[in-house]
Amino acid sequence: MEEVKKASKFEKVAARCWNLLNEGKPFTPIFVIGTFLLFHIAEVGTGSFWGNMLGSLLLVLPLLVLYYIFDFPLFLRNYLWIPFIAYLMMFGQFTLSLLLLAIGLYFFFTVFFWGTFYYHLRIGTSWLNFTRFWKLVLKNSDSTSGNAQEQLPKFLLVLSLWQYGFNALSAGGFASVDISLLLMFYGGLLLYTIILHRNLFDWKPKAIATYTNNAPVPTEAISDKVVVIVIDGMRKDRFDVAHTPYLDSLRKNGTEFTNMETVYPARTVVCFSSMFTGTYSFEHGIKSNMVWKHGVNVESIFDSLRKIGKKGKMLAVAHLVDAFGDDVETYTAVMKNDIVDSQIMKKAKKIMDEQNPDLFIVQLISTDQTGHSRGVLYDEYLQKIYEADQHVKDFIGHLEKTGKAKNTTFIICADHGQADGIGGHGHLDEGERIVPFFMYGPSIKEGVRIEEKQSLVSVASTIAYLLGSPYPSHSRGPVLLDAVEERKKG
């Protein structure tokens, strides 16, 4: 049996470096610094350049910090143009050639380097992918650098203000900078930002206030095994119209939660961390796909299982090692998108045959990658959902043949949905928030549909309940008792 390669050390480092450009918050300062240096490339060797450049960078540092701390998601990004207009009215200076260079570099990076060159080398998309990708960049609303409507007003303002400071320092040092005007601008911008976020940023899911308490801590297992298959980025309304005969049979003969909500921000590492610790980013510490410090800050379901001598394993892409360490067995994501999920499932079979974990979590990525590279409102996306359906059928069939499905609970879900632009996800735009989620197995009620809103933070406690382990230390999600058959007495 051909084995999918593990993610190499180089790939893990490269993934972390790529996240510096992929995640919107670090991209903004990296991009404006690079653009500013390119614009002034002819002056780099002059004696006064570096002093004026660094001095003027200090003048725009408060703006970069503000953009890093505060999100401007979804329709709030429209309000980013008002500070830029205010700058033009107050300072009356801009350098058109610098702004045009920035716009050109931005669309070259997102449409051609990222949307065409990067995706061709990594997953095999066409060299003509730019013909569709530009439309996705303009529509994109997620928290990445590919969110044009958010990034454009940000870097145009930073570069304009930076060039103003650079010109002033070059002309006469700090005495030429109108500090009072600058302070007035920053003070107004801070007040403006706080008012926006207090009054308009109101769509985050509310955190569950208490720790898991709707079911006693289990002392015995209901299921011998739990298998969680996460079809990364599978948007619920697109799943509902896709041809998925096998998954439809599982949810019809199991329990489906039709209003399962993901967490905020809806980024893959954040969602997985919340699913398998049972809590939110303010406790587990993972706030984006870019992880500065390895490991969640709280107990995970893997830790809970170890307390009772059971084993969990996750088969996933490299950056999930940053959250769960050695509990993750990685696979390379540098593979043609048409074959990656089949290779993942071959590896999944091998892990079940050789390691036989009590909890096994598998991440399929082809659907997500198609959404990111080609968009979610096209037939390619539906085709990948159908292929995921067939891969799940083949995998569960293998477990049935080897006797490992006899008393196993299967959880099929997505970690997040995807919005229209670049299959974006992060800020909970339409298509991201509610995810497919259903459970199947001998311990799961048949033919039940639960329409009450639930949260993915319930996954960890539900797994613990099924496998007879303590709940993770900071698990807040209630056990999904509506899906589970009552425990047999005695």
Side-chain angles (χ1 to χ4, degrees), residues 375-447:
V376 300
L377 301 181
Y378 297 89
D379 289 342
E380 297 105 309
Y381 186 76
L382 297 181
Q383 174 64 23
K384 290 306 171 189
I385 296 176
Y386 167 71
E387 291 173 10
D389 173 271
Q390 296 301 294
H391 291 314
V392 174
K393 178 182 179 180
D394 178 65
F395 177 66
I396 294 181
H398 177 78
L399 298 187
E400 290 172 342
K401 290 177 183 177
T402 57
K404 292 185 172 65
K406 186 176 182 181
N407 188 25
T408 296
T409 295
F410 294 94
I411 299 175
I412 314 294
C413 65
D415 51 341
H416 52 74
Q418 294 189 312
D420 295 350
I422 319 181
H425 54 91
H427 288 320
L428 299 183
D429 202 349
E430 182 181 358
E432 297 178 47
R433 193 182 197 106
I434 303 300
V435 299
F437 190 99
F438 49 95
M439 302 170 67
Y440 172 82
S443 302
I444 302 303
K445 295 175 183 177
E446 294 184 19

Side-chain angles (χ1 to χ4, degrees), residues 451-470:
E451 297 184 1
E452 180 184 358
K453 183 175 284 187
Q454 304 287 347
S455 171
L456 284 178
V457 295
S458 285
V459 171
S461 60
T462 302
I463 293 171
Y465 187 80
L466 289 165
L467 292 177
S469 77

Side-chain angles (χ1 to χ4, degrees), residues 232 336-341 344 364-371 381 384 387:
D232 198 313
K336 287 187 176 180
N337 204 38
D338 289 339
I339 64 171
V340 64
D341 278 358
I344 292 168
L364 297 178
I365 62 171
S366 185
T367 299
D368 183 71
Q369 292 187 156
T370 297
Y381 186 76
K384 290 306 171 189
E387 291 173 10

Side-chain angles (χ1 to χ4, degrees), residues 16 19 27 37 59 141 165 203 209 250 333 339 382 389 400 417 445 450:
R16 295 181 186 119
N19 278 330
F27 170 81
L37 290 175
L59 297 177
S141 62
W203 60 87
L250 293 186
I339 64 171
L382 297 181
D389 173 271
E400 290 172 342
K445 295 175 183 177
I450 308 297

Side-chain angles (χ1 to χ4, degrees), residues 93-106:
Q93 297 185 29
F94 69 95
T95 304
L96 182 61
S97 54
L98 172 61
L99 303 188
L100 291 176
L101 173 66
I103 293 170
L105 288 174
Y106 175 76

